[in-house]
Amino acid sequence: MAPRPSKPRKAPTSLTSPIVALLVLAISLLCTQSHAAPIKPAQEKLLLSLMPYLDDYFYKDTWRAGNDCSKWEGVTCNSRGAVVKIELNFWESGPIPSTITALNSLQHLEISGSNLTGSLPETLGALLTLTTIRVSSSTSGFSGRIPRSLSSLSNLVSLDLFGHRFSGGIPPALSSLKRLTYLALNLNQLSGPIPAGLGSLRNLKTLLLAHNRLTGLVPRQLAQLMSLEELNLQENRLIGPLPGALTALAPTLKSLDVSYNPIGGAFPYRLIKRLSRLETLSLQRAGIKDTTMSLAQLWRHPSLYLIDLSWNKISGNLPHVLGRMKNLNRLYLMGNRLNGSVSWKFFAYKPPLTDLSLADNQLTGEFPWAALKAGVAGTLEHLDINSNSFVGAIPTAALRDFRLTDFNVSDNFFSGKLPEIGRGEGDMVFDFAYNYFWGNPMLTISGQKLCPEESGLSQGFGDDEILKAVQNCLSKTASCPEKQQRSGGACTKFCGASSSNGPCSGYGTCVPVNSAGSSIQFECKCYEGYKLKAGSKHECVRDG
């Protein structure tokens, strides 16, 4: 008799597929969790020897001899009882013992605390199974040199030694860690040049070397880091120029921070334009000396949402074409030499700004409040234009619909009545602090002029006591704030004994020279590269 044909197999239904997926997920989760098996005796002994260094509150109830590994806080084991992962986030004091080599299956080492001491043991280099080292400190941290033996850890993917007191140079041997994707040596005391060999780490995505004492040029070999997304060299002693070869990072680089380094020279707009995926650019206090014409070259950049060029020597008008940057979210240009007026066109393009700082510049004229409201009222949260020479009123109607959490117009020449501002909806509830208006002698509240010297008044204007204090504070004998003097009963920005001497115009600032009673005398001090015009006590012109 012929065999009976078998029934065809049914295809998985839409119900069984999700069930299978859930089972696979559950199995994978179980495989990654610590097994309910005793820890190997030698490794358990090593862990118990760490107890004096740990915070008892978090570990004393679970770190007990004979406990299954699954019960040990911060410890993960494999099925054979070998420790493969340690996460000790409450290390109180003491060094990592050299006997840590007993954990010969360790893959993940994470220790953080407030008082790590001693040095990082050279024996770490013997733990060849390590893929992650994350040892950070919130205060003192380890000292000495970074162990050269770490270069033996060929499986290492992440090395984070943030916040210690490591000194000496960055070991060139770290360039042998070819699988490394994350390298953080920031906030240490490392010195010397950045090793050119780091450019061979082709898998590296994050390189953090900020807050050290590194010197020399930024090596052009870093352009070989073809996977790099973040490069932070902030607050070192590196000099410029930035290598043009870094344009090779265009396919991947998203964040570049070289702030607080004496890079000097002109703004590297050609390099920045070609880094087409760059999202954040910070060159704060980098010694850049240029005009805003170079900055204007970025208006077509497709990705930048943060630009910080604060505290450099950039002069000229604020380029209104920057308002056409479709992703520009935060623009910080404080502490430069911007001059002229702010064009309404900047806001007419409706950039998605949340933060705008133009403080401590030489901007003049009326601020374009109506254009500001029409363009960015729905997004702007932080506006700082203090320490300029803006004039005119601050219209209540122009600002009523804003979501501001920070607003500073102090030390200008604004006049009229104090405006009312909408309240912010973020973590900070905006309290319209009186401090944000000091230094505007023509602003009034309830018919009384503001008293700039009352800088201690930081409560909201809705408080009756603050209102009364503001109304009663003005007196002809009160002293004036920095950069101002009393003239005719009012505090002004004029330099000299009276307003007849004129303001400190051009490229200079008022500095106090003496005081007598309620009167403070000032003179005009010109910026570097400028001098007082012949026969003038207040006008600075280019020197030569």
Side-chain angles (χ1 to χ4, degrees):
M1 188 166 56
R4 178 185 248 174
S6 60
K7 292 183 179 180
R9 298 175 101 183
K10 291 184 179 180
T13 65
S14 58
L15 177 63
T16 58
S17 295
I19 293 175
V20 170
L22 287 172
L23 286 172
V24 171
L25 178 61
I27 292 171
S28 65
L29 287 174
L30 286 172
C31 289
T32 59
Q33 292 178 351
S34 190
H35 290 267
I39 301 175
K40 288 186 174 182
Q43 297 190 3
E44 181 184 74
K45 181 179 179 181
L46 181 279
L47 292 177
L48 290 174
S49 73
L50 301 181
M51 279 297 294
Y53 307 139
L54 305 179
D55 187 330
D56 284 349
Y57 179 81
F58 295 97
Y59 300 103
K60 66 179 180 180
D61 292 334
T62 63
W63 281 41
R64 294 180 178 178
N67 269 0
D68 286 342
C69 182
S70 60
K71 295 181 180 179
W72 286 61
E73 178 69 29
V75 178
T76 302
C77 299
N78 60 22
S79 58
R80 300 183 302 276
V83 176
V84 295
K85 185 175 183 178
I86 292 180
E87 293 178 289
L88 305 179
N89 297 318
F90 300 96
W91 191 285
E92 285 202 325
S93 64
I96 296 177
S98 59
T99 53
I100 196 169
T101 50
L103 306 179
N104 54 12
S105 297
L106 192 64
Q107 299 172 15
H108 184 109
L109 174 63
E110 181 173 345
I111 295 177
S112 62
S114 59
N115 195 25
L116 299 169
T117 58
S119 58
L120 206 58
E122 286 280 350
T123 52
L124 272 182
L127 297 175
L128 300 181
T129 54
L130 275 173
T131 61
T132 300
I133 297 177
R134 187 174 299 142
V135 182
S136 59
S137 174
S138 59
T139 53
S140 56
F142 292 125
S143 57
R145 294 178 177 268
I146 296 174
R148 183 184 177 86
S149 64
L150 296 183
S151 61
S152 302
L153 303 177
S154 58
N155 292 309
L156 204 62
V157 173
S158 177
L159 176 59
D160 186 348
L161 301 178
F162 164 82
H164 295 276
R165 293 175 292 153
F166 290 120
S167 57
I170 298 173
L174 294 183
S175 60
S176 65
L177 302 176
K178 303 302 182 183
R179 296 187 181 182
L180 211 59
T181 63
Y182 186 93
L183 177 58
L185 305 177
N186 42 326
L187 204 61
N188 280 285
Q189 299 172 16
L190 299 169
S191 57
I194 299 173
L198 293 184
S200 65
L201 302 177
R202 302 299 176 85
N203 292 310
L204 199 64
K205 293 183 178 181
T206 302
L207 178 58
L208 308 179
L209 304 178
H211 302 282
N212 280 290
R213 301 169 184 175
L214 302 173
T215 56
L217 294 165
V218 177
R220 65 189 312 275
Q221 288 82 358
L222 295 187
Q224 301 169 11
L225 299 174
M226 305 308 292
S227 301
L228 196 65
E229 297 178 0
E230 181 179 4
L231 177 59
N232 192 333
L233 306 176
Q234 179 188 158
E235 202 164 333
N236 280 285
R237 300 168 186 176
L238 302 169
I239 58 175
L242 294 177
L246 293 180
T247 55
L249 303 178
T252 58
L253 193 64
K254 296 179 180 180
S255 178
L256 175 62
D257 191 342
V258 201
S259 297
Y260 293 89
N261 283 284
I263 298 297
F267 176 63
Y269 70 88
R270 291 185 178 88
L271 168 64
I272 306 304
K273 283 174 65 177
R274 293 177 182 176
L275 296 174
S276 57
R277 296 197 65 187
L278 198 66
E279 296 176 355
T280 66
L281 170 66
S282 185
L283 290 170
Q284 187 180 165
R285 292 192 188 274
I288 293 173
K289 189 173 183 180
D290 207 340
T291 69
T292 53
M293 292 181 64
S294 295
L295 181 58
Q297 302 297 318
L298 298 183
W299 74 271
R300 290 183 177 177
H301 198 287
S303 304
L304 275 172
Y305 78 83
L306 183 151
I307 300 175
D308 189 348
L309 296 174
S310 303
W311 307 107
N312 285 289
K313 298 178 181 179
I314 300 174
S315 59
N317 296 331
L318 176 67
H320 65 80
V321 292
L322 293 182
R324 300 179 69 173
M325 298 180 71
K326 60 182 180 180
N327 291 311
L328 187 60
N329 186 259
R330 302 176 185 179
L331 179 61
Y332 305 106
L333 297 175
M334 68 192 85
N336 279 284
R337 299 176 179 176
L338 304 184
N339 51 47
S341 59
V342 175
S343 173
W344 61 270
K345 295 180 182 179
F346 177 82
F347 303 107
Y349 300 114
K350 298 186 177 182
L353 281 174
T354 61
D355 294 33
L356 176 63
S357 179
L358 305 174
D360 285 283
N361 279 287
Q362 300 157 24
L363 297 166
T364 59
E366 294 192 9
F367 194 82
W369 298 109
L372 181 80
K373 178 180 179 180
V376 297
T379 59
L380 194 65
E381 298 176 1
H382 307 276
L383 177 64
D384 189 354
I385 56 174
N386 86 82
S387 300
N388 282 286
S389 295
F390 290 116
V391 299
I394 307 174
T396 294
L399 300 181
R400 186 175 292 135
D401 299 330
F402 279 79
R403 300 172 56 250
L404 293 171
T405 58
D406 187 24
F407 180 77
N408 193 341
V409 297
S410 63
D411 201 9
N412 279 285
F413 290 107
F414 289 115
S415 58
K417 295 182 179 181
L418 285 173
E420 297 175 2
I421 306 288
R423 291 189 174 271
E425 299 175 1
D427 293 335
M428 292 177 58
V429 176
F430 182 65
D431 199 359
F432 209 0
Y434 171 73
N435 285 351
Y436 294 147
F437 295 94
W438 76 275
N440 288 280
M442 300 307 294
L443 278 176
T444 62
I445 180 170
S446 301
Q448 299 289 325
K449 289 183 178 180
L450 285 179
C451 189
E453 60 273 14
E454 294 291 328
S455 59
L457 300 177
S458 58
Q459 302 298 319
F461 280 121
D463 191 307
D464 291 340
E465 293 183 3
I466 297 298
L467 277 172
K468 183 177 180 181
V470 172
Q471 292 169 357
N472 295 335
C473 74
L474 189 62
S475 70
K476 292 184 179 182
T477 60
S479 60
C480 291
E482 185 182 357
K483 296 185 183 180
Q484 298 191 25
Q485 67 172 32
R486 188 161 298 286
S487 178
C491 293
T492 71
K493 287 186 176 180
F494 292 148
C495 288
S498 68
S499 61
S500 62
N501 286 334
C504 185
S505 59
Y507 298 92
T509 185
C510 293
V511 295
V513 291
N514 60 67
S515 60
S518 61
S519 178
I520 302 177
Q521 302 299 311
F522 291 80
E523 68 178 18
C524 189
K525 182 179 180 181
C526 298
Y527 295 130
E528 180 183 354
Y530 293 83
K531 64 179 181 180
L532 283 172
K533 185 178 180 180
S536 173
K537 295 183 179 180
H538 60 84
E539 185 175 359
C540 296
V541 295
R542 190 178 296 275
D543 187 2

